[in-house]
């Protein structure tokens, strides 16, 4: 890192203020091609990078073309190569789901219990993302999910034990960074003990400093010790850490004080999206972008609106020109950004080769990469060996919580299977492709199935139809796949299962996302936690229910 840092200083001295501030912006856009709004933005503003969402994805091949196109535009303007980032956590939060080796999510990985598999899942994901030109992943989630009512973290977490979250997090960081991706620990200093989604409002965590040290900070300290490239700030207010009512993203006391000075973190600080309501409603995205840089952020994430991106850039330039922010403060962040771009292969270390940046010759500096970062070898996305890792983790994650009736494995009898369909419960989920039903997966395992699907909002109106199917004389056993029944909106699912239990037929409940559903259905005598409803998870659930594989998972959270 020392050589990259020295060369970064050489380049920094030759950059204009606009070039430097541009490096501090990470922008989202609409579309699947390197044209239109994003081409105009890259032409007008020397931004440091972009973020992909599902709206930017059609296929891995298209994403690879898009990445190359964006880097080509930046290079053609004489700008530095871009960070190309994504939220590819695995499981229920993944922007690319087809044509790759989609790994199970973090709680499923923790339930499967293998640190080695956690590393390998991250390394494989990193290699496949890298093959598409992506060089920064906003993962792993290091929030400790110890609040069953948390609406936004849940199965995105490795669980409720600080030490376990730290161990799985460190192995994930190493896997991603061994694939030459920048890993990002999020959401500092912890989003796990909230009951409000920061996409929608500003959560407050009122725990004292001692508790935050003992619980929330444990995995983030471990991530720092492991050399994580980036840390994402949470849009959460911690009164114990910040005397003013400021979310962490805007808090000098937390970012510059706690994270930089006390914890000694030297990597990149990136904000969560500044268009989330926790920020936008209370402070305004543009003003908050300036406040975040004042607080110590290096990279400001604005995910959706080109107008806000341009205005934030202008506001930051104005803040420096007016003396509100010193150029020295900007230089501190830009030097880090240049250093880590070099570390991850975006900049070549050619001290004797001049580099053209913004149309001028820059001597004794890091030259621009001639193309998108080179691959040491061509990675076969969706390789069989990669898929085998995903399958092993998925099968080992399925958790039998209770079977008081000895119902499992399921008998080879006519079975009613009701699948409560996947729904978007938070903006983090984005656009979910509906998985195969649990019934179809069980039918593939040889069971005679009556396969019914119902959306969460239609459970109440469809309950008569579902009960009629359950009462049919030929149906001997019932399996219900719930989806976030623990949420306040889950009352119809809970009432339906209560009525099914009164029919006198064996009923097995499978939680297709939140394992906390059992807290809402305490009279479920047969209960299985699966943590997600992706196609691979459905196959694993069916195989476990029919006895083809053992229930090997262990709960990473308490169900008391």
């Amino acid at each position: 890192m020392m050589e990259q840092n020295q060369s970064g200083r050489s380049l920094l001295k030759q950059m204009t203020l606009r070039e430097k501030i541009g490096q501090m912006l990470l922008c989202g856009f609409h579309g699947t091609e390197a044209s239109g709004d994003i081409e105009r933005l890259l032409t007008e503003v020397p931004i440091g990078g972009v973020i992909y969402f599902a709206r930017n994805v059609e296929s891995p091949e298209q994403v690879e073309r898009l990445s190359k196109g964006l880097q080509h535009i930046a290079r053609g303007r004489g700008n530095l190569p871009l960070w190309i980032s994504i939220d590819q956590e695995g499981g229920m939060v993944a922007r690319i789901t087809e044509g790759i080796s989609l790994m199970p999510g973090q709680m499923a990985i923790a339930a499967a219990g293998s640190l080695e598999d956690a590393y390998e899942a991250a390394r494989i994901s990193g290699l496949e993302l890298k093959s598409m030109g992506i060089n920064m992943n906003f993962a792993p989630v290091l929030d400790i999910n110890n609040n069953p009512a948390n609406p936004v973290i849940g199965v995105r977490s490795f669980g409720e034990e600080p030490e376990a979250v730290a161990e799985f997090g460190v192995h994930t960081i190493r896997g991603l960074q061994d694939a030459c991706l920048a890993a990002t620990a999020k959401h500092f200093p912890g989003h796990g003990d909230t009951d409000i989604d920061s996409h929608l409002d500003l959560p407050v965590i009122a725990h004292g400093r001692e508790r935050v040290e003992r619980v929330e900070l444990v995995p983030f300290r471990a991530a720092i010790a492991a050399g994580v490239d980036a840390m994402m700030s949470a849009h959460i207010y911690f009164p114990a850490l910040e005397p003013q009512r400021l979310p962490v993203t805007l808090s000098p006391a937390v970012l510059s004080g706690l994270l930089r000075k006390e914890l000694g973190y030297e990597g990149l600080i990136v904000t969560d999206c500044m268009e989330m309501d926790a920020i936008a409603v209370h402070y305004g995205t543009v003003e908050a972008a300036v406040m975040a840089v004042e607080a110590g952020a290096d990279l400001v994430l604005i995910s959706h609106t080109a107008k806000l991106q341009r205005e934030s850039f202008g506001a930051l330039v104005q803040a420096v020109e007016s003396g509100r922010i010193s150029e020295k403060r900007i230089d501190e962040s830009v030097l880090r950004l240049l250093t880590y771009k070099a570390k991850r292969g975006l900049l070549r270390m050619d001290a004797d080769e001049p580099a053209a940046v913004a149309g001028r010759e820059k001597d004794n500096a890091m030259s621009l990469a001639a193309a998108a970062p080179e691959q040491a070898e061509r990675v076969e996305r969706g390789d069989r060996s990669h898929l085998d890792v995903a399958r092993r983790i998925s099968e080992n994650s399925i958790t039998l919580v209770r079977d008081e009736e000895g119902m499992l494995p399921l008998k080879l009898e006519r079975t009613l299977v009701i699948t409560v369909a996947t729904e978007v419960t938070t903006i983090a989920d984005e656009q979910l492709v509906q998985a195969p039903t649990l019934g179809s997966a069980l039918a593939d395992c040889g069971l005679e199935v009556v396969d019914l699907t119902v959306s969460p909002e239609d459970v109440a109106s469809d309950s008569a139809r579902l009960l009629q199917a359950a009462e049919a004389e030929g149906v001997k056993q019932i399996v219900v796949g719930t989806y976030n029944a623990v949420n306040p909106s889950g009352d119809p699912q809970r009432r339906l299962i209560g009525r099914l239990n009164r029919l006198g037929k064996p009923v097995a409940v499978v939680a297709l996302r939140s394992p906390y559903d059992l807290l809402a259905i305490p009279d479920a005598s047969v209960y299985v936690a699966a943590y997600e409803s992706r196609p691979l998870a459905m196959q694993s659930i069916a195989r476990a229910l029919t006895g083809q594989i053992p229930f090997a998972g262990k709960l990473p959270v308490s169900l008391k």
Side-chain angles (χ1 to χ4, degrees), residues 488-506:
S489 61
D491 280 344
Q493 295 182 57
R494 299 193 287 271
R495 287 195 296 269
L496 173 64
I497 291 169
R499 295 172 72 179
L500 290 171
N501 281 333
R502 290 193 288 274
L503 296 179
K505 298 179 180 183

Side-chain angles (χ1 to χ4, degrees), residues 463-483:
S463 60
R465 173 178 69 94
L466 300 173
L467 285 166
Q468 184 178 20
E471 290 168 343
E473 185 175 343
V475 170
K476 303 300 183 183
Q477 55 194 357
I478 302 167
V479 178
V480 181
T482 62
Y483 197 84

Side-chain angles (χ1 to χ4, degrees), residues 24-46:
M24 299 179 70
L25 290 178
L26 193 67
C27 301
F29 62 98
H30 294 265
T32 57
E33 296 181 357
S35 59
D37 288 343
I38 186 58
E39 184 175 17
R40 284 189 289 274
L41 181 66
L42 288 169
T43 300
E44 296 169 15
V45 182

Side-chain angles (χ1 to χ4, degrees), residues 286-292 294 315 318-326:
V286 175
E287 171 61 16
V290 178
M291 294 173 69
E294 288 180 310
Q318 175 61 30
V320 177
E321 291 177 343
S322 68
R324 177 177 173 180
I325 299 176
S326 70

